Amino acid sequence: MVAFRVLCVLLSALMLLNAQQGNGALTARTQKMIAKVNEDGPYLGLVIPNLYEMNPLLESSNYTATNTIDIAGRRFRFGTIGEKKVILVMTGLSMINAGITTQLLLSLFNVEGVVHYGIAGNANPSLNIGDVTIPEYWAHGALWSWQRYGLGPDDELPLESAGDYTRNIGYLKFANYTVNVTEGSPYDNLLNNVWYQPEEVFPVDGTPEERQHAFWVAVDPYYYEISKQLEDLVLEGCINSTTCLTTTPKVTRVQRGTSASIYLDNAAYRSFIYNKFNVSPVDMESASVALICLQQRKPFIAIRALSDLAGGGSADSNEADTFTSLAATNSVTVVLKFIELLAVNSKSSTGYAYY
């Protein structure tokens, strides 16, 4: 009888475990692992889009791995970089993957701040492939209100009066990019205008369900201050003995970067966002990480190495895959030095800014 009861308990536990694994809940074993690693924190979270950007860090002698925890399709890698305890996690490309992964990182683990890094396209004609950019602000550039044909800048957007949408940030007029038009002839475009919109954000220290709005999200001011010390860092300029950049790569702090779940390879749009917003790097994840960190009130910075001039036109080969490995290596070089400086100059964040 006792043996039968023990068997029933074991079967019940097994059924519960299978149910937890099937519906996405954390198993008791995983919860215990999380509790144990959190006791050893806090950690600096390193959020990385793809394996080709993470591998140079995993292979670096500066990184020492300790263990991993797999949760919800993500692998959280624990280790140290110098004296700094870190968690590495790969997001996969796109805004939604980056947002989900960053939220998991901050919800589950004892994280003191987030460093996001990888490669990016370039919209700034004064910068070059191989340069590593550190923007002060990030925005999601693909949340739009698409205006009905026949309406224009003076016409109120749907739901604008309710505070859902705005004309304060600016718009893109498709007709301005019409080609093959005879001089003096009228022209228009049925796609009309798209108006850029801020994200709705719900900070953890705010009132639940009471929205705020943010378009430009600032990186942590203390992290940004430290990053100034990276500007003299020597970076890699050659892929091999026969393929080198025509300029010497550099680390540069810039005003703005933008993200969207769009691979940008169009020179006209590149020029538009540079002239409109003074954007330098363009990617598919950084703004999502920034928005999650803003809402969770965690210090954040993004470091992006330029792998191509979006839309072409540089003196170097403009195929992104030609210089992807070099750009990824340069981004890791900068991240490692940043973490070294952060460990030496450790102090609390000084605040959050967005508009």
Side-chain angles (χ1 to χ4, degrees):
M1 187 68 176
V2 173
F4 177 73
R5 287 177 179 172
V6 171
L7 179 60
C8 287
V9 170
L10 289 173
L11 287 172
S12 297
L14 183 59
M15 290 172 65
L16 177 61
L17 178 61
N18 287 336
Q20 287 176 326
Q21 290 174 332
N23 64 20
L26 298 175
T27 66
R29 178 175 178 272
T30 299
Q31 292 180 47
K32 190 175 295 186
M33 292 172 68
I34 292 171
K36 185 176 187 304
V37 295
N38 282 340
E39 289 176 0
D40 295 332
Y43 300 88
L44 184 67
L46 272 61
V47 178
I48 309 154
N50 296 292
L51 278 176
Y52 61 79
E53 293 153 317
M54 183 166 64
N55 283 337
L57 180 53
L58 295 178
E59 296 163 2
S60 170
S61 60
N62 297 86
Y63 173 69
T64 302
T66 53
N67 66 322
T68 63
I69 301 178
D70 293 345
I71 300 172
R74 269 69 180 179
R75 173 158 293 173
F76 296 89
R77 301 170 182 264
F78 296 80
T80 57
I81 295 176
E83 299 299 315
K84 200 74 173 173
K85 296 177 181 178
V86 295
I87 307 174
L88 280 59
V89 61
M90 191 197 82
T91 67
L93 65 81
S94 86
M95 295 285 287
I96 191 167
N97 274 326
I100 289 169
T101 307
T102 305
Q103 186 65 64
L104 283 170
L105 172 72
L106 299 182
S107 294
L108 295 173
F109 300 108
N110 182 5
V111 175
E112 65 182 39
V114 172
V115 176
H116 177 60
Y117 79 88
I119 68 169
N122 176 31
N124 186 336
S126 69
L127 300 179
N128 300 290
I129 291 172
D131 289 350
V132 177
T133 59
I134 307 175
E136 186 175 8
Y137 295 93
W138 285 91
H140 177 202
L143 183 56
W144 297 341
S145 174
W146 205 316
Q147 196 170 34
R148 183 179 302 181
Y149 181 71
L151 301 181
D154 295 329
D155 296 303
E156 187 174 285
L157 301 174
L159 304 179
E160 183 178 349
S161 60
D164 292 335
Y165 298 97
T166 180
R167 285 172 288 162
N168 292 336
I169 298 169
Y171 68 101
L172 168 65
K173 184 178 179 64
F174 285 96
N176 289 343
Y177 297 90
T178 305
V179 296
N180 299 324
V181 176
T182 304
E183 186 175 351
S185 300
Y187 62 92
D188 207 345
N189 193 308
L190 292 173
L191 292 176
N192 202 27
N193 308 317
V194 291
W195 291 84
Y196 291 86
Q197 301 300 317
E199 288 278 357
E200 291 186 350
V201 295
F202 300 87
V204 292
D205 54 0
T207 303
E209 300 180 352
E210 188 173 297
R211 68 183 178 183
Q212 299 176 26
H213 288 95
F215 188 71
W216 294 111
V217 179
V219 302
D220 180 73
Y222 179 61
Y223 284 7
Y224 196 65
E225 178 187 333
I226 289 176
S227 72
K228 186 173 179 59
Q229 301 175 56
L230 301 168
E231 292 179 333
D232 294 329
L233 204 58
V234 176
L235 302 175
E236 184 61 60
C238 294
I239 298 172
N240 52 45
S241 59
T242 59
T243 306
C244 293
L245 297 169
T246 57
T247 59
T248 301
K250 61 185 180 298
V251 180
T252 181
R253 302 196 307 167
V254 297
Q255 184 184 22
R256 291 169 173 168
T258 187
S259 309
S261 290
I262 300 166
Y263 186 91
L264 176 56
D265 193 29
N266 182 277
Y269 190 70
R270 174 195 79 208
S271 297
F272 170 78
I273 58 173
Y274 174 73
N275 292 321
K276 178 70 177 176
F277 298 121
N278 196 31
V279 161
S280 293
V282 292
D283 67 34
M284 301 173 71
E285 297 87 18
S286 296
S288 185
V289 181
L291 285 158
I292 297 298
C293 289
L294 170 65
Q295 295 181 82
Q296 299 300 308
R297 298 308 197 207
K298 291 294 182 181
F300 156 83
I301 196 168
I303 296 169
R304 287 284 186 160
L306 306 178
S307 61
D308 63 284
L309 180 64
S314 72
D316 295 298
S317 168
N318 198 54
E319 294 303 319
D321 53 5
T322 303
F323 291 104
T324 289
S325 61
L326 183 147
T329 297
N330 282 349
S331 68
V332 169
T333 298
V334 176
V335 166
L336 289 171
K337 185 63 177 179
F338 175 80
I339 293 172
E340 177 188 322
L341 293 169
L342 190 62
V344 172
N345 300 283
S346 183
K347 95 174 185 184
S348 299
S349 168
T350 56
Y352 311 92
Y354 56 97
Y355 62 95

